[in-house]
Amino acid sequence: MILQERVKLLLFVLLSISLNSFSTNTKFYNISDTYGITSGEAFSICKDQYGFIWTSTKTGILRVTEGDCRNYELPCRTTDFVFVKLTYSNSQLFSYTNNGQIFHYDEPTDQFFFLTDLREETDNSHITIGTIVADTSNVLWIASSIGLFKYENNILTKIPQTEEDIKHLTFYDDNHLFYITSAGISLLNISTSESRLLYSNITEDFFQVPSLYYDDQLKRLWIGTGSAGLFYYDIIRKSLSDIPIRNFPKQPILAIRKDAKNTLLIGIDGQGIWNISEKGDTILHIYKEDLNNPFSLRGDGVYDILCDGSKNWIATFTGKLSFFENNNSQITPVTYQINNPNSLGNNYVNQIIEDHEGHIWFATNNGVSRWDAASNKWKHYYQNKSEQAKVFLSLCEDNQGHIWAGSYSSGIYLLDRETGKTLKHYSSKTNTPGFTGDFIFDFFVDKEGDVWIGGNQKLSCYLIKEDRFREYPVQPVSAFAELSPGKLLLTTSRGLLLLDKNQGTVETLVEGSLTQDVVVTGNTIWVATCRDGLIRYDYDKQQTERFTTESGLTSNYVNSILFDSGFLWIGTERGLCRLNILNNTIQPYTSVYSLSTTTFCVNSCTRLKNGKLIWGTSNGAIMFAPELIQETPPRGNIFFQNITVAGRSIRTIPGLLNNTPVNQQKNLSLNYTQNNFMLELLPIGNSSGNMKFSWLLEGLDANWSRPSELHFINYTNLPGGNFKLHIRMYDSSLSQMIDERSLNIHVTPPFWKTWWFAAIISLCTICYIIYAFKSYSNRLKRKSTNDRLIADAVQALMQERMAQAEPGIREELPVPQSKPSDPFVSRAISIINENISNSEFGKEEFAAAMNVSSSLLYKKIKTLTDQSPSDFIKTVRMNHALKLLQSGQYTVTEVSELSGFSSLSIFSRAFKSYFGKTPTEI
């Protein structure tokens, strides 16, 4: 019994050793950590035509691209389901639950809609869905617990002779599907819905198949079972075989995919990812969750895998969505592993050196670590010390083989290179002549072998031949370089200084920048700065040139620089860049995720003897051979995520959306109340990180906007007219335009600002001017004529009156000029004479007798006589009264009545007012 237990323990140890031998330094990047989401378990992954990664989770559907993550809710009829999966084909995305609910993603409205429920379609409340695939005609083929179905044009059809539980489907070609039942492996013709049995000799455990994958190159159907392991069916040989790998897990195999390197990734529920050779005969890697490694696979329950060129996406039960790079095999991460003393002591690496024996030393935030890369053995010094500082910022090896370690607040420790034993300690408390520092930022060994010490104290130099320190009045110094023997370059918070070692004089070369690292190539000095990018200083011409994000740097915070083989490698706060010093072109490494998302530490890099470069970062160190790091040519597309008009998305404005997806909009028509809009852009596709946008609104803007990472274009108060918005997307170096597209915009002006309204107003104005001119001309002509007619009529009347008047009175009356007579006036006088004795005859009766309206009568009489109708009647009455008085036949009272006055007093006053004399005086 004891022997059996020992044998089992030995086998377990051997198995553990064998599995660990396949572990790698592959880094997994978790989407939940990147975007701060808590979306629950991830079940399924797919990629659409734009390059978005979609994954189904417990809480909905996630859409992921570089720099953007969005969650979509499903309009579920019921919530009694366990998982949600996705299927994508021919630009159509479908989602489905295990309890039979199917949803369709509508791109124009950017949301999922309910499509159907198999429980209602089949009248079976217990039906479950295993897998759904869509063919090129967007017909859904559904593997369910009661057989195989086809869903086309909202009609569900049962496929004959498929009554059993079917878990998975996969395409053989565009017209055939593989599926497995208890009868064996079958092939379905989707055009005729006829099935053909390919292989029948299978066991009961075999046909519970959760995953299938067809390799068209090898003509193999890979079959992942629930508890029998991994098999493949050879189409040519018509044979079924299991893989020849001993101890391969028997847990459910939920995902089988081939990656860009033509190797197979097998996702196993509870056993992580097994990376095996294309033929399935060799284990290449095993990826599992390691609680001591934050960059390991997050969760061993792997539900789905998507191989997307340079990235492999993984959906796990507990870790949600993660990915790892295909091309990261050229990059070796050196990281701290929890509870593993044979690893880096701390992930914050402040400086790295290689000693003369090839050991690599790391100054970290928790002591100093030494790595023998050949044997992969680690040693650690000053870790977790409470009596002294454990943060070390700087390292160097002097010509005697001693290691100088500079700490933060505890001065310098001199170590024996072989044993790591502390030989000496220098600090402000040791009262060392010429040295008083505790905060050591950098060391430098000059050509004479002397050791320079920079920190926040005065600059010190250890003269190795004299075994003493010498102080210089310069502080603080963060990095060194030697321009020539005896000429030291110093980076300080005030700029770059040049120190004469012998004279002790200091010259300022670059002023006004916080400098952090310096490299010399010939007579050119390269300076890394904080906030001001990279500075190129020509020592002979004393000229400076700056390289910033506008020149192609990924950040203006340049922390480390390193020269190698004609290139200047640049470590920034946001990734790694490379500058060609011959043409000053900058190449950012945006396609390599581990290089583009890393924060490089200040003055923390070195070139190893084997030609590799090693860099200290805030998350461990990375090491690579520079000639093997290849930047993929930047690719990507501009995606219109949303267009907002007057504060509303056009998805909510049917008249603007026109049932066209926002990304496919080519024309935007707005009325004058909608003359402001905002366009949201996304860079999608491969290598879409750190892209920059520039735009110009043709018809309004004179110049292109400065390229930036701003993803929103906003215009307000647009005038009426036609515009064209041009958009360009550049790589981060601005050396290449990646994509360009445009959007036509028409703003309908208010009607009072339209050309036709202006034309109508102009025409009306012209017509009015012509009408006014003609009216005025006619009025002048008519007035001239009327004046003559009136004068003639008045003259005739006055002549008759004057002929009968006394000489005294005649002399007082004016004599009008002779004018032609007017029929209207003559008729008017005649009518008044006919009614001369009628005291009730007024202007109203006058108008009625003339057969005209009162207003027209007034206008005519006024025009012809310059009198109102009442005054004209009075004039005729007065003349008639004068004639009667002059006849001597009537008394004054009788004349008053015959002239139409109602009383004698009224007549007397009117007569005197008119003639200037009373009736009795005539």
Side-chain angles (χ1 to χ4, degrees):
M1 187 69 178
I2 296 177
L3 181 61
Q4 290 179 349
E5 293 297 328
R6 289 181 176 179
V7 170
K8 290 182 180 179
L9 179 61
L10 180 61
L11 290 175
F12 176 78
V13 172
L14 291 176
L15 178 61
S16 300
I17 294 175
S18 65
L19 294 181
N20 288 333
S21 65
F22 295 107
S23 62
T24 69
N25 284 319
T26 298
K27 280 188 174 182
F28 285 79
Y29 301 92
N30 192 269
I31 296 301
S32 298
D33 296 340
T34 303
Y35 296 103
I37 57 176
T38 56
S39 58
E41 304 90 41
F43 303 107
S44 178
I45 318 172
C46 66
K47 180 181 177 181
D48 67 14
Q49 77 271 25
Y50 300 117
F52 288 112
I53 302 299
W54 297 80
T55 184
S56 59
T57 71
K58 185 177 181 179
T59 58
I61 308 298
L62 283 181
R63 193 198 70 182
V64 179
T65 189
E66 188 73 34
D68 185 79
C69 181
R70 297 169 190 259
N71 187 68
Y72 296 80
E73 293 186 0
L74 295 176
C76 300
R77 297 288 180 87
T78 63
T79 59
D80 55 337
F81 55 86
V82 177
F83 64 76
V84 181
K85 290 186 178 181
L86 298 170
T87 185
Y88 181 85
S89 177
N90 198 28
S91 302
Q92 298 296 317
L93 176 64
F94 299 91
S95 176
Y96 57 95
T97 64
N98 64 291
N99 69 348
Q101 299 178 82
I102 304 176
F103 311 90
H104 176 243
Y105 172 71
D106 181 64
E107 188 178 352
T109 58
D110 193 32
Q111 58 184 320
F112 283 85
F113 288 99
F114 179 83
L115 192 62
T116 189
D117 190 334
L118 261 62
R119 294 172 297 183
E120 298 176 359
E121 296 276 358
T122 61
D123 196 24
N124 186 334
S125 60
H126 300 291
I127 187 174
T128 60
I129 296 178
T131 306
I132 296 180
V133 295
D135 62 22
T136 55
S137 300
N138 291 324
V139 176
L140 299 183
W141 298 89
I142 306 169
S144 75
S145 58
I146 59 174
L148 188 61
F149 291 86
K150 177 177 73 172
Y151 187 78
E152 182 179 13
N153 298 325
N154 297 325
I155 299 175
L156 185 70
T157 305
K158 179 70 179 296
I159 305 301
Q161 300 178 346
T162 59
E163 305 296 332
E164 298 183 38
D165 185 8
I166 301 175
K167 297 292 186 184
H168 205 84
L169 299 169
T170 194
F171 279 100
Y172 171 61
D173 55 29
D174 289 343
N175 202 45
H176 295 85
L177 279 171
F178 287 112
Y179 67 94
I180 296 179
T181 64
S182 59
I185 304 171
S186 299
L187 190 67
L188 173 69
N189 187 319
I190 63 176
S191 298
T192 63
S193 297
E194 295 179 353
S195 297
R196 177 166 60 92
L197 186 64
L198 300 180
Y199 189 85
S200 59
N201 295 324
I202 58 176
T203 63
E204 182 178 352
D205 294 335
F206 181 81
F207 66 84
Q208 293 296 328
V209 176
S211 60
L212 295 173
Y213 174 76
Y214 179 64
D215 187 341
D216 188 55
Q217 293 179 343
L218 297 181
K219 305 299 179 184
R220 285 184 177 184
L221 175 65
W222 289 93
I223 303 167
T225 67
S227 58
L230 181 64
F231 295 79
Y232 65 89
Y233 175 73
D234 192 307
I235 301 296
I236 299 175
R237 297 181 180 179
K238 299 181 180 180
S239 61
L240 181 69
S241 308
D242 60 348
I243 60 172
I245 297 177
R246 298 181 61 186
N247 301 318
F248 194 84
K250 302 297 183 182
Q251 283 91 336
I253 298 173
L254 304 182
I256 307 171
R257 298 290 184 271
K258 181 182 281 191
D259 63 14
K261 297 179 290 187
N262 284 328
T263 65
L264 292 175
L265 296 176
I266 313 299
I268 306 175
D269 191 6
Q271 289 291 336
I273 303 170
W274 289 57
N275 183 201
I276 63 177
S277 61
E278 183 180 23
K279 294 184 177 181
D281 53 4
T282 307
I283 299 176
L284 304 177
H285 305 103
I286 297 176
Y287 305 108
K288 287 191 173 185
E289 183 174 21
D290 182 357
L291 296 178
N292 295 327
N293 181 6
F295 287 98
S296 66
L297 176 64
R298 194 77 60 86
D300 289 335
V302 179
Y303 277 30
D304 199 8
I305 299 172
L306 173 69
C307 297
D308 176 31
S310 62
K311 294 178 181 178
N312 296 320
W313 297 84
I314 313 298
T316 64
F317 183 77
T318 57
K320 307 172 183 67
L321 183 65
S322 304
F323 71 87
F324 67 93
E325 295 180 284
N326 266 325
N327 57 359
N328 66 353
S329 59
Q330 308 299 335
I331 301 172
T332 302
V334 182
T335 58
Y336 165 68
Q337 298 176 17
I338 302 173
N339 298 325
N340 184 4
N342 196 47
S343 66
L344 181 65
N346 183 271
N347 274 335
Y348 207 100
V349 179
N350 296 305
Q351 202 164 73
I352 308 172
I353 65 167
E354 182 181 25
D355 65 23
H356 286 81
E357 294 185 351
H359 299 146
I360 303 174
W361 295 73
F362 301 83
T364 76
N365 276 6
N366 188 12
V368 177
S369 298
R370 191 189 77 174
W371 182 33
D372 185 346
S375 62
N376 194 30
K377 298 295 183 181
W378 288 84
K379 291 185 178 181
H380 306 284
Y381 311 99
Y382 311 113
Q383 271 192 331
N384 303 316
K385 298 294 184 180
S386 58
E387 67 276 8
Q388 63 189 39
K390 62 180 181 179
V391 176
F392 282 78
L393 304 177
S394 53
L395 292 166
C396 80
E397 181 185 19
D398 63 23
N399 291 344
Q400 296 177 347
H402 298 151
I403 302 298
W404 294 64
S407 71
Y408 184 85
S409 78
S410 292
I412 301 171
Y413 293 87
L414 193 64
L415 285 74
D416 182 273
R417 184 179 62 195
E418 302 296 331
T419 64
K421 180 181 178 181
T422 301
L423 303 178
K424 293 181 180 179
H425 178 217
Y426 303 105
S427 71
S428 60
K429 299 178 182 179
T430 59
N431 299 320
T432 304
F435 177 79
T436 58
D438 289 327
F439 298 84
I440 313 302
F441 298 156
D442 193 25
F443 294 109
F444 180 75
V445 180
D446 63 21
K447 294 181 179 179
E448 296 180 358
D450 296 333
V451 180
W452 293 82
I453 304 149
N456 68 344
Q457 69 286 336
K458 290 183 179 181
L459 175 64
S460 297
C461 178
Y462 178 72
L463 305 175
I464 198 164
K465 294 181 181 179
E466 303 177 22
D467 191 22
R468 69 179 182 88
F469 289 91
R470 176 185 175 183
E471 280 188 339
Y472 294 84
V474 180
Q475 65 174 2
V477 176
S478 58
F480 300 88
E482 194 165 16
L483 181 62
S484 61
K487 300 286 186 177
L488 274 296
L489 295 168
L490 315 175
T491 63
T492 72
S493 59
R494 300 187 303 274
L496 180 68
L497 309 180
L498 179 63
L499 172 69
D500 187 301
K501 179 180 180 181
N502 298 323
Q503 301 296 326
T505 58
V506 176
E507 176 187 357
T508 300
L509 301 183
V510 177
E511 190 174 11
S513 295
L514 197 163
T515 57
Q516 303 187 127
D517 201 0
V518 59
V519 166
V520 178
T521 58
N523 288 325
T524 300
I525 303 171
W526 302 89
V527 187
T529 74
C530 177
R531 304 182 187 90
D532 291 331
L534 177 71
I535 296 177
R536 180 183 182 271
Y537 181 79
D538 190 313
Y539 183 72
D540 293 336
K541 299 179 180 179
Q542 296 185 354
Q543 296 177 346
T544 60
E545 180 181 4
R546 295 181 185 270
F547 300 87
T548 63
T549 52
E550 294 184 2
S551 310
L553 290 179
T554 55
S555 171
N556 286 330
Y557 292 79
V558 179
N559 294 333
S560 298
I561 50 178
L562 182 63
F563 181 73
D564 179 71
S565 303
F567 296 97
L568 189 71
W569 294 80
I570 306 166
T572 75
E573 289 280 343
R574 295 183 60 189
L576 187 70
C577 303
R578 189 188 70 179
L579 183 142
N580 187 329
I581 65 172
L582 297 179
N583 55 22
N584 291 338
T585 57
I586 296 176
Q587 174 67 67
Y589 286 88
T590 56
S591 66
V592 184
Y593 191 84
S594 56
L595 298 180
S596 64
T597 59
T598 300
T599 297
F600 291 82
C601 293
V602 175
N603 191 19
S604 182
C605 57
T606 191
R607 185 180 187 276
L608 304 179
K609 296 174 183 178
N610 59 11
K612 292 184 177 182
L613 308 183
I614 187 167
W615 299 74
T617 77
S618 60
N619 202 11
I622 55 175
M623 182 171 61
F624 56 85
E627 67 276 8
L628 298 180
I629 301 299
Q630 300 296 326
E631 167 68 1
T632 302
R635 292 175 293 167
N637 300 104
I638 300 171
F639 184 84
F640 291 173
Q641 170 58 32
N642 195 14
I643 301 176
T644 303
V645 175
R648 293 176 59 193
S649 171
I650 65 170
R651 294 189 177 98
T652 64
I653 310 175
L656 292 180
L657 188 62
N658 295 322
N659 201 32
T660 301
V662 172
N663 185 58
Q664 298 177 19
Q665 295 286 336
K666 299 184 182 299
N667 301 286
L668 185 64
S669 296
L670 309 174
N671 61 47
Y672 68 92
T673 62
Q674 301 171 321
N675 62 347
N676 61 84
F677 74 93
M678 182 172 64
L679 174 61
E680 182 182 357
L681 307 174
L682 288 179
I684 58 172
N686 295 328
S687 307
S688 60
N690 299 320
M691 295 297 182
K692 297 181 179 180
F693 295 102
S694 178
W695 56 84
L696 178 143
L697 186 60
E698 183 181 340
L700 185 67
D701 295 335
N703 301 304
W704 285 83
S705 67
R706 176 178 295 181
S708 69
E709 295 183 11
L710 186 65
H711 289 189
F712 294 89
I713 301 174
N714 191 21
Y715 283 92
T716 59
N717 298 321
L718 287 177
N722 294 313
F723 306 91
K724 192 169 187 177
L725 179 63
H726 300 275
I727 309 163
R728 292 174 178 173
M729 183 170 70
Y730 296 89
D731 64 357
S732 58
S733 67
L734 303 180
S735 61
Q736 183 176 348
M737 186 174 68
I738 309 303
D739 190 23
E740 181 176 16
R741 60 184 302 184
S742 61
L743 179 67
N744 296 312
I745 301 171
H746 173 73
V747 179
T748 302
F751 71 89
W752 59 85
K753 291 186 177 182
T754 58
W755 68 268
W756 55 266
F757 184 79
I760 292 175
I761 294 298
S762 300
L763 182 60
C764 291
T765 303
I766 293 172
C767 292
Y768 176 78
I769 292 173
I770 294 174
Y771 171 77
F773 177 77
K774 288 185 176 180
S775 297
Y776 181 71
S777 177
N778 292 334
R779 182 178 178 183
L780 290 178
K781 292 179 181 179
R782 187 170 60 249
K783 187 175 185 303
S784 177
T785 302
N786 291 340
D787 287 345
R788 291 195 298 271
L789 295 175
I790 294 170
D792 184 64
V794 172
Q795 183 183 18
L797 182 63
M798 294 302 295
Q799 284 177 351
E800 180 182 0
R801 184 182 66 182
M802 293 300 293
Q804 302 174 0
E806 293 181 351
I809 298 175
R810 187 182 297 119
E811 293 176 356
E812 295 179 5
L813 294 175
V815 180
Q817 297 179 1
S818 177
K819 298 291 180 180
S821 62
D822 183 78
F824 188 84
V825 175
S826 300
R827 183 168 177 264
I829 293 172
S830 176
I831 290 175
I832 296 173
N833 285 330
E834 292 175 359
N835 297 276
I836 196 72
S837 61
N838 184 5
S839 61
E840 300 296 328
F841 185 79
K843 60 181 181 180
E844 298 295 335
E845 291 75 16
F846 187 19
M850 292 291 291
N851 296 319
V852 295
S853 65
S854 298
S855 60
L856 181 57
L857 177 66
Y858 177 87
K859 183 177 180 182
K860 294 286 286 184
I861 295 297
K862 185 70 174 177
T863 301
L864 296 172
T865 67
D866 199 25
Q867 290 182 315
S868 67
S870 297
D871 291 339
F872 189 70
I873 294 172
K874 181 179 179 182
T875 299
V876 175
R877 288 182 188 277
M878 288 294 103
N879 287 319
H880 180 68
L882 178 63
K883 183 167 60 174
L884 293 177
L885 288 172
Q886 288 176 341
S887 67
Q889 299 178 6
Y890 304 97
T891 64
V892 174
T893 302
E894 291 173 337
V895 170
S896 172
E897 293 176 355
L898 292 173
S899 299
F901 289 93
S902 59
S903 69
L904 179 62
S905 60
I906 295 174
F907 170 69
S908 297
R909 287 195 298 271
F911 191 89
K912 185 175 183 179
S913 175
Y914 192 81
F915 291 107
K917 292 184 179 185
T918 63
T920 59
E921 295 175 343
I922 297 301

